[in-house]
Amino acid sequence: MHTAFFLLLGASVARFLLRHPGEPRTPWIIALSITLALLYVLGPALGAAPTLRRLLWLGLVVATWVVLVVLAPSFAWCAVPLFYTALRTLPPRAAIVLVALLTVFVVTAQLQLATAFDPNLLLAPPAIAALATAVFVHMERQTRAQSVLIDDLIRTRRELAATERREGTLAERQRLSMEIHDTLAQHLSSQQMLLQAADRTWDSDPATARVHVRTATEITARGLAEARRLVHDLAPPELAGGAGLAEALRGLDAGPDIDVRFHLEGVPAPLPDRVQSALLRIAQGALANVREHSGARTAALTLSFLGDQVVLDIADDGHGFTETRGTAEARGHGLPAMRARVSQLGGTLTIESTPGEGTVLSASIPLEPTG
C-alpha cells in the first residue's frame, strides 16, 4: 500500500506537469505533493493506535489530498491507499463513513475531468472502495482469529509445560522417597536397633555391645555413601563428571535467536559444589528470562573471581523494564528462586535495568578464606 501510494502520487504529478505545463498553480501542486508525501512518511512513526496525534495526522493527510484534488482532479486515485490508512486508523464505523466521503469526492473529481458523461466514472470508484473495504475487513477478521488461536496455543503450551513440570516433580519426589526409604531409612533403623541392643548389654556383656557398635558404625559408613550418591544424583548434569562451573556456563545457550557469550575474569578458585550448582541454576534461569521477556539479540555471562567472593553477571541488550522489584517478581518464580539460592549462601542478588538499554543481573557469593 505504501508503494502504491507513492507510485500513484508520482504518476499524478507527472500527468499534471505533462498536460498543464507552465500553469500558475504548478508550484502549489508540487509543494502540496511534497507535503503530502512527507506527511504520509510520518504515519508509521505514530503507530497504528487511534491516538490524538494519529487522528490529527490523518486529518492533515486527507485535507492536503483534498486541496490537491480540487487543484488537480487527477490526484483522486491516490485515495485508494488512503482508504486503507483510514481503515487502519479509525474505528470501523467512522472509517467506513470517511471512505464513503472520499469515494464521493473521487467520483466528483473524475466527473470534472470527463468531457462527457461516463457511467464507469460513476460506478468504478464505489466498486473499488467497496472491494478495498471488504478485503481489509476480511483480513482484520482473519488476523484476530489467528491472534486468538496463537494465544490459545501459547496458553495450552504453558499449561502443558506446567503439568509436565508438576508430574516430573512428583515423580522425582516419589523416586527420592523410595530411595531414602530403601537406603537411608533402613540404615538408620538398623543403627537404632543396634545401638539400643548395645545399650542394653553394655554392662552385662560388653563384648557383644562393642560388636553391635562396630556393626552400627559399618552401617553408618554405608548410609553415608548412599547419602553422597543421592546428593551426586541431584547435582546438575552439566557439572557431572568433574566439569567445572566455567565449562558448564560456557555451554549454556538461550535459543537460536540469541548469541550467548561467556567471559572468565580473575584466577579461578575451587568452589564448593553447592556454590557451583547455585550459580549454574541462576545463569539458566536468567537466560530463560532473557529468552522469554527481553527481546534481546545478545547476552553475556561473566564469571569473576575476586578473591573473597565470586560474582556472576548476566547482561542482555533487550528492551529492559522499569518495574519495581515487587511487581517484577510477582509475575513468576524465577527471580524469587534466584534470590533464595543466593541468600542461602550468604550472597546478594542485584538487578539493574533501563528501558531500551537492557538488563544486568549480578549474583555475588562470598567465599571462605583458604590456606
Side-chain angles (χ1 to χ4, degrees):
M1 276 300 120
H2 298 329
T3 303
F5 174 81
F6 287 108
L7 286 176
L8 290 171
L9 182 62
S12 300
V13 173
R15 182 180 186 279
F16 178 84
L17 294 178
L18 290 174
R19 297 202 174 189
H20 307 281
E23 284 201 9
R25 54 181 173 166
T26 299
W28 288 101
I29 295 295
I30 296 175
L32 287 171
S33 299
I34 294 174
T35 302
L36 182 58
L38 293 175
L39 286 172
Y40 194 86
V41 168
L42 291 176
L46 299 177
T51 59
L52 180 59
R53 289 193 305 173
R54 178 79 177 178
L55 296 177
L56 290 175
W57 168 82
L58 179 61
L60 288 174
V61 169
V62 172
T64 305
W65 173 78
V66 167
V67 175
L68 266 175
V69 174
V70 170
L71 294 177
S74 60
F75 283 84
W77 287 109
C78 293
V80 176
L82 294 182
F83 290 163
Y84 283 95
T85 302
L87 290 168
R88 286 198 307 267
T89 304
L90 298 174
R93 293 184 179 179
I96 292 176
V97 171
L98 180 58
V99 168
L101 293 176
L102 295 178
T103 303
V104 172
F105 198 73
V106 169
V107 171
T108 303
Q110 293 300 308
L111 291 177
Q112 289 179 356
L113 284 177
T115 56
F117 178 76
D118 188 349
N120 287 332
L121 298 180
L122 186 63
L123 299 178
I128 294 175
L131 178 62
T133 303
V135 170
F136 181 85
V137 170
H138 179 68
M139 291 173 60
E140 283 292 301
R141 289 177 179 174
Q142 281 191 327
T143 301
R144 286 195 295 268
Q146 290 178 353
S147 178
V148 172
L149 179 60
I150 291 173
D151 291 341
D152 289 341
L153 289 175
I154 292 175
R155 184 174 61 255
T156 302
R157 187 176 65 179
R158 288 177 177 173
E159 292 175 353
L160 180 59
T163 301
E164 291 178 348
R165 283 196 298 269
R166 286 194 297 269
E167 292 178 351
T169 301
L170 292 175
E172 183 64 13
R173 286 180 178 177
Q174 184 178 8
R175 186 187 72 82
L176 286 175
S177 65
M178 294 172 61
E179 289 275 356
I180 293 172
H181 176 270
D182 295 339
T183 56
L184 298 181
Q186 295 296 334
H187 292 155
L188 291 173
S189 177
S190 299
Q191 292 171 38
Q192 183 183 29
M193 290 188 297
L194 287 169
L195 292 175
Q196 288 175 348
D199 182 62
R200 289 193 300 268
T201 61
W202 192 264
D203 296 328
S204 61
D205 191 355
T208 302
R210 283 192 293 270
V211 171
H212 291 330
V213 172
R214 285 195 296 269
T215 305
T217 303
E218 295 174 357
I219 294 176
T220 302
R222 292 198 296 271
L224 181 59
E226 288 291 343
R228 287 173 176 169
R229 183 185 65 80
L230 288 175
V231 172
H232 182 270
D233 291 343
L234 291 175
E238 293 86 355
L239 298 174
L245 178 61
E247 288 76 9
L249 293 175
R250 188 176 283 109
L252 295 181
D253 66 81
D257 298 328
I258 301 177
D259 181 22
V260 179
R261 301 169 185 173
F262 173 74
H263 307 279
L264 179 63
E265 296 183 358
V267 180
L271 297 176
D273 292 342
R274 58 177 185 166
V275 173
Q276 295 190 69
S277 179
L279 291 178
L280 179 60
R281 294 307 189 200
I282 289 172
Q284 291 171 330
L287 290 179
N289 287 340
V290 171
R291 179 177 61 252
E292 296 176 6
H293 306 298
S294 72
R297 305 295 300 175
T298 61
L301 300 177
T302 304
L303 181 64
S304 304
F305 290 89
L306 305 179
D308 60 342
Q309 63 178 345
V310 59
V311 180
L312 176 64
D313 297 315
I314 302 97
D316 66 71
D317 60 353
H319 49 63
F321 59 89
T322 57
E323 300 167 305
T324 61
R325 170 178 166 182
T327 57
E329 297 184 7
R331 297 182 302 178
H333 301 286
L335 290 178
M338 296 179 197
R339 292 192 185 278
R341 290 180 185 276
V342 174
S343 178
Q344 290 172 358
L345 297 172
T348 57
L349 183 75
T350 59
I351 302 173
E352 297 179 2
S353 184
T354 302
E357 298 183 8
T359 302
V360 178
L361 183 146
S362 180
S364 176
I365 298 178
L367 299 178
E368 297 180 359
T370 58

